[in-house]
Amino acid sequence: MNLTNLFKIAIRALVRNKLRAFLTMLGIIIGVASVIAMLAIGEGSKKSIQDQMSSMGTNLIMVMPNMQRRGGVSLGASSSMALKYSDVTAIRNEAASIAAVSPAVNANGQVIYGNQNTQTSIYGVSEEYLDIRKLEIQSGRIFNSNEVRSMSKVCILGQTVVDNLFGKGADPVGISIRIKNLPFEIIGVLKDKGESGMGQDQDDLILAPYTTVQRRLAAVDYINGIYASAVSEEKSASAITEVEEILRRTHKIKESEEDDFRIMSQSELLETVSSITNIMKYLLGAIAGISLLVGGIGIMNIMFVSVTERTREIGLRMSIGGRGKDILRQFLVESMLLSLLGGAVGIIFGYLIAKGAGTLMNMPPVVTSQSIVLAFAVCFIIGVFFGWYPAKKASNLSPIDALRYE
Amino acid sequence: MKNIIIEINGLRKDYHIGEVTVHALRGVDLKIEEGEFVAIMGVSGSGKSTMLNILGCLDKPTHGNYMLDSVNINTLDKDATAKLRNKKLGFVFQAYNLLPRTTALENVELPLFYNSKVGSRERKERAVNALEAVGLADRMHHMPNQLSGGQQQRVAIARSLVNDPVLILADEPTGNLDTRTSFEIMELFQDLNEKGRTIVYVTHESDIAKFATRNVIFRDGKIQRENVVSERLNAREILKTLPVENIEEFDA
């Protein structure tokens, strides 16, 4: 029997049992749709997190004091006073792969303007900080090195702080506000940056010269962290090694001792996040794959029922000249048609589900051609694998017994 | 000299059911020429069903030779036997064995699907011709459940004709039909026989056997008796004498 006849016979058999064929396909449809949708949502969320993180600057390197232990008791990372401004100078002067570097001194406190007040974080930084964090000025200006040196009481506000103190859309440049009861002049406003990948408001902050924050607001002599940017993304790894070497030397850390600081880079963070979202994606995919397997077993089940129910038909086909392999092929083609057709419908459904979920979750789903090929391949394998045994059983029937079957 | 369609010599068939060996056929010699119309008779257990299975190449003899249209069946493997059935044989069953939810035309086309030399146009043409030959050209697109028992058996006969076989084998073709319809089927068989078809059928009703030209009676796995039918019945003549059931009477 040639292939066209084989397909015609299989299609006729399926058309004869439309409802049953559809119900059998439903298992595959749901399986494939969930695989496609889950992979698309997983891939989409991974991509949107990556996009947001790289908008923060992929060259970014952060140095934080490491947790210190005294007799086994952790004092917490922020309690450390390991970093000094001299470290910033050392990095600036010595590290070749570093383009810009800024200290960061953190303070929290109440900010007052007129009868409005708000609680926010005040970051003491150098003028390079905006470049490093890819922050942009919407109006006004950045503080200059003179203002840094002279501990000027000037500040730059984030959008959320502006909204809280002055209302939406206001331009408060030139106005004086009180931070922790000290008067500061607003010299600039930052552009809106939105939420970070972790759901943190990146606009709820005030920037001021690190000297001002260190002496006047926090009254400390150490710094809380160092932000630096590598000259390029490729140089980011060597920049990290350079910073580590410099800091170990300036901190006089012996060979055997651990670092008293911690270096994090954006690309490293990106990798961590990617690996987490990848795990999530594969987990979702695996769960969906199980439903695909269940769908395949459904096909096998129905094919068995079909073979038993059509025993007399098989006997007849054999008596009019059907060979064992014709019968085998007929049932194989039937099960493959079922699963491939189910797969095609499933891909369409999966795509629609991914689209719907994407609009709900506010991120574009990414249906990769890879997942479509995968789904089709899996359907083909399911069709052959789960169709084989019932088909083999059918082809091994004796025509006499099959014709006599009641 | 007419062609010899079937030539059987010293044919035996043993079945092994566990330890017990059943001798279903114990030495059968049979010769059927082209154009013959043979009825095989016998009580159940006489070996006539086994004989029909072997004649239909669905089963192989344990001993002895079976030549179908000059082909020795013993030399063929499974696939070759299937091919031989497709080319040389037509089957008619007691229970019709039509595919459900499949039109009469598609049912008749079925054997030609297994013959790769027949294209789709020729397949349809031959199926239509076969249906015309059994007088069902107007029921071509009906499903089996829209046809009466006699009509279903006619479709089955058309299916057995479509591959232009050398031999038509029928297993109790009238077993599921009432008397009148049985005679109608026999009329069709007699028609086909007159046109040169070789037909062998199994029956246990002696009056149905009288439509054949020759009767072969089996008993205990052997041919007990063979005889040419002396007072052969003509189905067409008998049908004329039967009262025609007036269906309209039931409506009144």
Side-chain angles (χ1 to χ4, degrees), chain B residues 75-196:
Chain B
T75 61
L76 301 178
D77 66 3
K78 254 186 153 181
D79 287 356
T81 335
K83 205 169 176 186
L84 187 86
R85 287 198 294 267
N86 185 250
K87 291 265 159 69
K88 296 195 185 286
L89 294 174
F91 285 92
V92 177
F93 304 93
Q94 180 175 359
Y96 329 130
N97 281 344
L98 299 178
L99 297 191
R101 273 160 286 174
T102 306
T103 63
L105 185 68
E106 283 172 354
N107 263 299
V108 174
E109 280 183 321
L110 207 58
L112 300 179
F113 269 109
Y114 293 94
N115 184 347
S116 49
K117 289 193 189 105
V118 180
S120 63
R121 187 179 300 165
E122 190 192 344
R123 182 169 63 224
K124 196 175 171 188
E125 208 176 279
R126 284 170 70 170
V128 171
N129 289 341
L131 278 168
E132 273 166 5
V134 300
L136 279 180
D138 54 334
R139 300 293 160 97
M140 217 177 274
H141 300 293
H142 284 54
M143 304 289 175
N145 59 359
Q146 297 166 323
L147 299 171
S148 71
Q151 285 170 331
Q152 289 186 52
Q153 193 62 298
R154 280 166 187 271
V155 174
I157 292 168
R159 184 180 61 199
S160 76
L161 287 171
V162 77
N163 58 343
D164 193 21
V166 296
L167 176 67
I168 291 177
L169 286 169
D171 186 6
E172 304 262 11
T174 60
N176 282 11
L177 301 171
D178 60 53
T179 317
R180 187 182 171 84
T181 322
S182 298
F183 291 162
E184 282 171 1
I185 293 299
M186 292 325 289
E187 181 193 10
L188 178 58
F189 273 137
Q190 284 187 331
D191 270 0
L192 293 170
N193 179 241
E194 274 161 34
K195 286 173 190 153

Side-chain angles (χ1 to χ4, degrees), chain B:
Chain B
M1 177 76 193
K2 285 194 168 175
N3 281 340
I4 293 165
I5 300 294
I6 290 174
E7 190 170 10
I8 285 172
N9 288 314
L11 190 132
R12 296 176 156 274
K13 179 71 189 176
D14 301 334
Y15 288 112
H16 300 280
I17 302 166
E19 301 276 297
V20 191
T21 305
V22 179
H23 303 286
L25 293 174
R26 318 154 176 251
V28 174
D29 302 306
L30 185 66
K31 198 186 264 185
I32 293 173
E33 287 179 352
E34 190 178 1
E36 276 201 89
F37 191 15
V38 177
I40 293 174
M41 295 192 64
V43 294
S44 56
S46 61
K48 63 178 197 297
S49 295
T50 310
M51 190 67 229
L52 195 76
N53 286 340
I54 289 173
L55 285 179
C57 306
L58 297 169
D59 211 345
K60 289 210 166 170
T62 320
H63 295 288
N65 279 327
Y66 170 28
M67 305 281 286
L68 172 66
D69 199 24
S70 317
V71 180
N72 188 346
I73 301 305
N74 292 7
T75 61
L76 301 178
D77 66 3
K78 254 186 153 181
D79 287 356
T81 335
K83 205 169 176 186
L84 187 86
R85 287 198 294 267
N86 185 250
K87 291 265 159 69
K88 296 195 185 286
L89 294 174
F91 285 92
V92 177
F93 304 93
Q94 180 175 359
Y96 329 130
N97 281 344
L98 299 178
L99 297 191
R101 273 160 286 174
T102 306
T103 63
L105 185 68
E106 283 172 354
N107 263 299
V108 174
E109 280 183 321
L110 207 58
L112 300 179
F113 269 109
Y114 293 94
N115 184 347
S116 49
K117 289 193 189 105
V118 180
S120 63
R121 187 179 300 165
E122 190 192 344
R123 182 169 63 224
K124 196 175 171 188
E125 208 176 279
R126 284 170 70 170
V128 171
N129 289 341
L131 278 168
E132 273 166 5
V134 300
L136 279 180
D138 54 334
R139 300 293 160 97
M140 217 177 274
H141 300 293
H142 284 54
M143 304 289 175
N145 59 359
Q146 297 166 323
L147 299 171
S148 71
Q151 285 170 331
Q152 289 186 52
Q153 193 62 298
R154 280 166 187 271
V155 174
I157 292 168
R159 184 180 61 199
S160 76
L161 287 171
V162 77
N163 58 343
D164 193 21
V166 296
L167 176 67
I168 291 177
L169 286 169
D171 186 6
E172 304 262 11
T174 60
N176 282 11
L177 301 171
D178 60 53
T179 317
R180 187 182 171 84
T181 322
S182 298
F183 291 162
E184 282 171 1
I185 293 299
M186 292 325 289
E187 181 193 10
L188 178 58
F189 273 137
Q190 284 187 331
D191 270 0
L192 293 170
N193 179 241
E194 274 161 34
K195 286 173 190 153
R197 294 274 171 207
T198 315
I199 301 168
V200 173
Y201 67 105
V202 165
T203 184
H204 62 268
E205 296 170 72
S206 46
D207 50 338
I208 292 294
K210 283 189 182 137
F211 292 101
T213 53
R214 182 153 67 112
N215 284 359
V216 178
I217 294 123
F218 274 76
R219 194 189 173 106
D220 296 333
K222 282 181 184 165
I223 294 176
Q224 186 198 28
R225 190 153 51 86
E226 261 190 89
N227 61 284
V228 175
V229 179
S230 48
E231 291 165 27
R232 193 178 175 212
L233 296 177
N234 185 320
R236 193 171 294 125
E237 297 299 323
I238 294 173
L239 280 169
K240 276 180 194 161
T241 66
L242 280 181
V244 179
E245 286 150 50
N246 198 341
I247 291 160
E248 279 154 48
E249 276 175 25
F250 291 98
D251 293 335

Side-chain angles (χ1 to χ4, degrees), chain A residues 342-364:
Chain A
V345 177
I347 286 169
I348 296 167
F349 264 107
Y351 184 74
L352 294 178
I353 292 169
K355 269 229 135 130
T359 2
L360 276 179
M361 293 158 78
N362 199 19
M363 51 137 212

Side-chain angles (χ1 to χ4, degrees), chain A residues 1-12 323 325-326 328-330 332-334 336-337 380, chain B residues 112-118 123:
Chain A
M1 199 190 324
N2 60 34
L3 211 63
T4 354
N5 286 354
L6 211 57
F7 271 93
K8 265 187 201 158
I9 284 179
I11 287 167
R12 278 182 186 179
R323 292 165 300 174
K325 53 184 151 187
D326 292 327
L328 178 84
R329 282 181 198 149
Q330 180 193 334
L332 266 189
V333 168
E334 260 181 53
M336 259 158 49
L337 272 180
F380 186 80
Chain B
L112 300 179
F113 269 109
Y114 293 94
N115 184 347
S116 49
K117 289 193 189 105
V118 180
R123 182 169 63 224

Side-chain angles (χ1 to χ4, degrees), chain A residues 300-327:
Chain A
M300 178 151 76
N301 204 350
I302 287 297
M303 290 312 290
F304 262 124
V305 171
S306 183
V307 165
T308 313
E309 196 190 77
R310 287 152 69 189
T311 303
R312 286 176 75 103
E313 175 188 329
I314 294 163
L316 170 78
R317 285 180 185 280
M318 284 176 162
S319 70
I320 60 173
R323 292 165 300 174
K325 53 184 151 187
D326 292 327
I327 305 295

Side-chain angles (χ1 to χ4, degrees), chain A residues 122-125 127 141-157 173-177 179 182-188 206-213 216-217:
Chain A
I122 302 109
Y123 292 97
V125 294
E127 63 271 29
R141 61 176 179 87
I142 311 172
F143 39 78
N144 55 39
S145 47
N146 268 337
E147 285 163 330
V148 173
R149 210 175 308 126
S150 61
M151 293 181 258
S152 295
K153 288 177 277 182
V154 289
C155 64
I156 302 169
L157 304 191
V173 173
I175 294 172
S176 182
I177 55 170
I179 303 173
L182 283 176
F184 276 74
E185 191 200 341
I186 301 170
I187 56 166
I206 294 176
L207 298 182
Y210 71 93
T211 46
T212 316
V213 177
R216 295 184 196 269
L217 293 179

